[in-house]
Amino acid sequence: MNASTTPPSGTDPIVEPSAAAPAEAVAAPAAASPASPASPASPASPGRLAAPGVTGPATFRRTARLILQQGWPVLVGQWAGMAFGVLDTAMTGHASPTALAAMALAVSIYITVFVGLMGVLHALIPIIAQHFGAGRLDRIGHTWGQGVWLALGLSALGATAMMFPDVWLSMSGDVSPEVRDQVSGYLMMLAIALPAGLVFRTVYALNTAVSRPKVVMMINLLGVGLKFIFNWIFIYGNLGAPDMGAVGAGLSTALVYWISLGISAAILLRDPFYRRFSMRIGRPDWKALGELLHLGVPMGASYLIEVTSFTFMALLVAREGVFATGGHQIMSNLAAVCFMMPMALGVATGALTAQAIGAGDYPRARRIGATGLRLAMTGAVLTVLVMLVGRQAIVGAYTNDPKVALVALGLLNLLTLFHLADALQCMTAYLLRAYKVAVIPMCIQAGALWGIGLTGGWYLAFGPGAGSLAGVVDRFMPGAPPGAGSMWLMAAFSMLISGSLLQVWYQRIVRKLAVRGAA
């Protein structure tokens, strides 16, 4: 645990509290107020709202139902968000191999920027959820407003990073001018989309923390329909619009993001549900912003570590040509679609766990976490089975190029191991964030994903050890290029190491809290 950690009762460090109010954020069970809405024996007092995840008997069936009730809208919303990338990949793939290659490279760069910044904003989820569980409703609106200021500041940083695509593409070797031009145009459009996308993530965080994920789900579903229409217009040049290829996909994303933000703002202003939270942006509050950054920076770094492991993989795989890049992009998209299930369960479980922590009920928080983990691993097995059974049809939906399809089908043989390890890591990371533990997970992920996965993958795929895994790739991933296959093998192994170590750390925390609660 990092040196800045402060334990709830002055003993061994267990949770990483916020810098602003450590005692309030992680109060020990005995410190819970009798009037708290989290206490089953006490009704919520006027102006306070009982959090749904921290009242009533905590049986496995009831806990699982609570997680699934909150998890399925998150899953549908995440799939809707992922449909943007799927639509871009599939529709540009049917436009031309050049457009698909440009999309693969541009999306890798954009996702690196967006996910890292989004991770910082996701610090809002445990902070607001703990306020919600403890009944501190007046703090929710203020915290969200500071998140909006943070999102705007991060947007400026992210847009600047995307203005220099040549720096990113320098790792991809000889990229054709046609591909390079489309990458630059796509990133320019997404720089316009970035402020709306990040502010919308604060709305997502707010609704997730207060167990109201259907709001974001409905907005995202509407966005998918708009995205398909705008893609059809701007990628292929329909209804008199120019044929823009990958750049058209970026333009459609910008339009949908700003429309979605406008809808969410109207909901926050008009829906009486949010009035109890005193929703306001106000002036920048440096103390509140410091609290967000204290937790958000290591969270964002963890997100960035994970996504850059695959961003740089895409840039390295581009050395093997357009077909390898296209096949890798399809594998990446499918792995990301699979990831949405454990991510949705992790978000739901983490929010409910944080509500229980805010109420001071650590035994319930542990039971919620155990239930969520069981659900995530069961769902991961079912997801992989569906993907493998339908693999031919799924790849065919992405591309009609036989060489790209051959690469993708070869890489998909590794999906089982990769996704099971990814599900374990994802769920455990969200549980640790619910306890406001972010620094140690960041270090574990950096060592595993960057050290073993990315660096080890480069060494064995394109570095001095190139070809060392060629026999393994040929045997288990026929049709996959040796470089791409080696990179994915090391990525799966590093994900397994990361998930296992995070689980060890999480179990250490909940055991110590259990001992403290018994004492």
Side-chain angles (χ1 to χ4, degrees):
M1 191 66 63
N2 64 321
S4 64
T5 300
T6 305
S9 59
T11 56
D12 293 339
I14 299 294
V15 222
E16 292 184 282
S18 66
E24 178 180 276
V26 292
S33 169
S36 169
S39 174
S42 304
S45 58
R48 296 163 72 89
L49 180 68
V54 293
T55 58
T59 63
F60 172 81
R61 178 177 296 182
R62 184 176 186 275
T63 303
R65 185 169 64 250
L66 283 170
I67 292 172
L68 293 174
Q69 284 174 348
Q70 183 160 336
W72 78 261
V74 175
L75 176 60
V76 173
Q78 292 292 349
W79 272 343
M82 280 302 304
F84 281 37
V86 173
L87 284 173
D88 284 351
T89 301
M91 295 178 80
T92 55
H94 287 285
S96 70
T98 297
L100 180 60
M103 178 61 58
L105 294 172
V107 166
S108 296
I109 296 169
Y110 171 71
I111 289 297
T112 300
V113 174
F114 181 79
V115 171
L117 301 180
M118 178 190 75
V120 177
L121 294 173
H122 278 193
L124 288 165
I125 297 176
I127 293 173
I128 292 178
Q130 287 195 14
H131 286 325
F132 188 60
R136 298 184 294 267
L137 304 188
D138 59 320
R139 296 295 302 165
I140 292 175
H142 177 72
T143 301
W144 171 79
Q146 297 309 303
V148 172
W149 282 113
L150 182 58
L152 294 174
L154 294 175
S155 297
L157 294 177
T160 302
M162 290 191 293
M163 291 295 98
F164 302 97
D166 287 342
V167 176
W168 300 84
L169 294 176
S170 63
M171 291 179 287
S172 299
D174 187 15
V175 178
S176 69
E178 295 82 4
V179 172
R180 191 177 294 271
D181 289 344
Q182 291 210 28
V183 169
S184 298
Y186 183 85
L187 292 178
M188 179 69 70
M189 293 298 176
L190 290 184
I192 298 172
L194 190 60
L198 289 179
V199 174
F200 184 72
R201 297 312 293 187
T202 68
V203 179
Y204 164 86
L206 167 68
N207 283 281
T208 299
V210 300
S211 297
R212 210 168 190 245
K214 291 182 182 179
V215 173
V216 174
M217 178 191 76
M218 297 305 297
I219 296 174
N220 280 341
L221 288 174
L222 174 63
V224 172
L226 294 174
K227 175 67 172 170
F228 178 82
I229 294 171
F230 291 148
N231 269 10
W232 179 77
I233 294 172
F234 296 113
I235 290 177
Y236 303 123
N238 289 305
L239 300 182
D243 180 354
M244 301 174 68
V247 179
L251 174 59
S252 68
T253 297
L255 291 172
V256 173
Y257 275 15
W258 282 102
I259 291 171
S260 298
L261 179 59
I263 294 172
S264 65
I267 292 173
L268 293 182
L269 289 173
R270 295 179 178 271
D271 191 333
F273 174 84
Y274 300 97
R275 292 175 187 167
R276 70 193 74 193
F277 303 141
S278 303
M279 302 299 296
R280 60 199 182 277
I281 296 178
R283 297 180 179 180
D285 180 342
W286 300 113
K287 184 177 180 180
L289 287 170
E291 178 185 6
L292 284 171
L293 290 171
H294 178 78
L295 180 61
V297 169
M299 281 179 59
S302 291
Y303 279 63
L304 191 63
I305 288 164
E306 186 167 356
V307 74
T308 52
S309 299
F310 300 98
T311 298
F312 293 131
M313 187 196 305
L315 296 173
L316 291 169
V317 168
R319 300 181 180 189
E320 294 187 302
V322 170
F323 302 116
T325 300
H328 165 82
Q329 178 65 12
I330 292 172
M331 172 66 171
S332 295
N333 262 201
L334 290 175
V337 169
C338 291
F339 173 75
M340 291 301 102
M341 184 279 302
M343 181 180 182
L345 292 175
V347 168
T349 305
L352 293 171
T353 300
Q355 290 172 11
I357 293 169
D361 193 344
Y362 286 103
R364 184 184 297 273
R366 181 177 187 177
R367 288 191 294 270
I368 292 171
T371 303
L373 187 61
R374 288 172 62 182
L375 291 174
M377 298 312 296
T378 302
V381 172
L382 296 176
T383 302
V384 166
L385 290 176
V386 171
M387 284 288 177
L388 293 181
V389 169
R391 53 189 291 179
Q392 292 283 351
I394 292 170
V395 171
Y398 275 95
T399 182
N400 51 14
D401 188 294
K403 293 183 179 179
V404 174
L406 181 64
V407 174
L409 289 170
L411 293 175
L412 279 175
N413 288 332
L414 195 64
L415 187 61
T416 300
L417 173 61
F418 180 86
H419 180 56
L420 291 175
D422 202 12
L424 176 65
Q425 179 197 237
C426 175
M427 175 57 74
T428 310
Y430 274 104
L431 289 174
L432 286 167
R433 290 164 190 159
Y435 288 87
K436 295 187 177 179
V437 176
V439 175
I440 292 299
M442 177 191 69
C443 296
I444 290 173
Q445 289 174 312
L449 302 185
W450 275 354
I452 298 173
L454 184 60
T455 305
W458 164 82
Y459 183 88
L460 296 173
F462 302 105
S468 300
L469 298 178
V472 179
V473 173
D474 289 340
R475 181 176 178 82
F476 296 103
M477 292 181 284
S486 298
M487 293 293 296
W488 275 101
L489 276 171
M490 294 305 295
F493 179 64
S494 68
M495 195 69 71
L496 182 61
I497 294 296
S498 177
S500 300
L501 291 177
L502 288 175
Q503 185 62 208
V504 169
W505 195 258
Y506 169 70
Q507 293 299 332
R508 173 182 179 272
I509 288 173
V510 295
R511 279 197 304 268
K512 285 195 173 184
L513 286 173
V515 171
R516 178 173 299 168

